[in-house]
């Protein structure tokens, strides 16, 4: 499966050609997963919400498969200090939100936030659109393979506190898994990795990807990590 379109500064391509074998379970999950299997928060039927995209970028590091994450600056109004996938709102020049717009936005935002070279990324799938009620974002998760890794780091300290990769082996390690509990009463999966607590939307997507890719290992869902009121 390949889709190609003209894009600002080059082309946007969605292709599964030449992916490493270990990514095949993720490809299958992306083909079959239904929106409600990823989240109970789906885009409003009236079309409300700000269109956005995130890049779920798989690479291969010293310890095998890994994911690229960043930690948002503590001064931001939305999701301050929270680890997340690179991403953000679509710009008009990204194009059609129902077409290649999210692909362009995911790559553009990743470049702006982490310094990533988009030419080294092979986009291979798109997950169903999800909704983040607290910020009103309608998010398209875009899956990528870091075919040619490039240096990454903080581009703008006002937006990003740090950029880091997490081995998938650490994400699947039961010792690093917990349930994050907010003072308001809601809870969800969390990961304690790379001196960070990954929770919320990002942790929810990672949790479901691990599950539907068949990578999840049994873990203690009774192990709780309390969040504070600022979360």
């Amino acid at each position: 499966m390949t889709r190609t379109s003209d894009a600002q500064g080059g082309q946007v391509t969605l292709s599964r050609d030449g992916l490493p074998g270990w990514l095949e379970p993720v490809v299958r999950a992306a083909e079959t997963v239904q929106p409600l299997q990823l989240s109970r928060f789906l885009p409003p039927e009236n079309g409300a919400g700000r269109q956005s995209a995130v890049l779920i970028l798989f690479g291969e590091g010293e310890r095998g498969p890994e994911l690229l994450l960043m930690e948002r600056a503590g001064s931001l109004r939305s999701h301050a200090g929270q680890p997340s996938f690179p991403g953000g709102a679509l710009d008009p020049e990204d194009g059609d939100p129902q077409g290649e717009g999210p692909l362009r936005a995911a790559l553009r935002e990743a470049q702006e936030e982490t310094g990533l070279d988009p030419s080294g990324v092979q986009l291979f799938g798109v997950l169903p659109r999800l909704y983040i009620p607290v910020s009103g974002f309608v998010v398209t998760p875009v899956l990528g393979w870091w075919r040619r890794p490039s240096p990454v780091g903080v581009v703008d300290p006002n937006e990003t506190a740090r950029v880091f990769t997490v081995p998938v082996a650490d994400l699947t390690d039961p010792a690093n898994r917990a349930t994050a509990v907010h003072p308001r009463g809601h809870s969800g999966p969390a990961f304690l990795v790379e001196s960070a607590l990954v929770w919320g939307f990002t942790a929810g997507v990672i949790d479901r990807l691990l599950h539907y890719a068949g990578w999840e290992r049994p873990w203690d869902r009774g192990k709780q990590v309390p969040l504070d009121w600022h979360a």
Side-chain angles (χ1 to χ4, degrees):
M1 176 276 295
T2 303
R3 276 195 292 153
T4 307
S5 69
D6 291 331
Q8 215 173 22
Q11 291 186 320
V12 175
T13 302
L14 197 60
S15 171
R16 297 173 186 163
D17 297 336
L19 293 176
W22 57 262
L23 267 176
E24 289 180 7
V26 179
V27 172
R28 289 196 299 270
E31 288 177 335
T32 59
V33 71
Q34 299 299 307
L36 282 173
Q37 292 177 309
L38 290 176
S39 173
R40 61 190 177 94
F41 297 113
L42 302 184
E45 293 183 0
N46 62 5
R50 190 175 183 188
Q51 296 294 326
S52 65
V54 296
L55 179 63
I56 304 177
L57 184 60
F58 289 91
E60 185 136 23
E62 295 180 358
R63 295 181 52 212
E66 61 185 16
L67 274 177
L68 178 68
L69 296 177
M70 50 172 273
E71 189 174 305
R72 295 169 59 83
S75 57
L76 292 176
R77 293 176 59 187
S78 179
H79 309 292
Q82 192 171 342
S84 68
F85 302 117
L90 269 66
D91 286 346
E93 56 267 29
D94 292 325
D96 183 4
Q98 306 301 320
E100 278 73 28
L103 306 185
R104 293 192 186 93
L107 288 175
R108 175 183 54 76
E109 286 283 344
Q111 183 177 27
E112 292 175 0
E113 293 175 330
T114 74
L116 174 80
D117 180 359
S119 68
V121 175
Q122 177 180 339
L123 301 181
F124 66 87
V126 176
L127 296 178
R129 286 178 171 82
L130 304 175
Y131 187 59
I132 304 180
V134 67
S135 58
F137 280 106
V138 174
V139 185
T140 300
V142 179
L143 299 167
W145 159 236
W146 211 350
R147 178 176 290 280
R148 295 192 307 277
S150 55
V152 291
V154 174
V155 176
D156 183 356
N158 293 317
E159 290 194 3
T160 308
R162 67 174 174 138
V163 176
F164 58 101
T165 56
V166 180
V168 171
D170 287 351
L171 294 168
T172 59
D173 185 343
N176 297 332
R177 304 214 53 181
T179 298
V181 181
H182 196 278
R184 297 186 190 278
H186 55 263
S187 61
F191 301 83
L192 297 96
V193 290
E194 301 297 325
S195 303
L197 174 65
V198 183
W199 62 281
F201 173 85
T202 302
V205 173
I206 293 174
D207 171 77
R208 294 295 80 197
L209 268 180
L210 296 179
H211 176 76
Y212 288 110
W215 293 347
E216 183 180 35
R217 296 165 58 189
W219 57 282
D220 181 6
R221 297 172 188 271
K223 176 184 175 183
Q224 296 187 347
V225 176
L227 301 171
D228 60 34
W229 282 103
H230 299 289

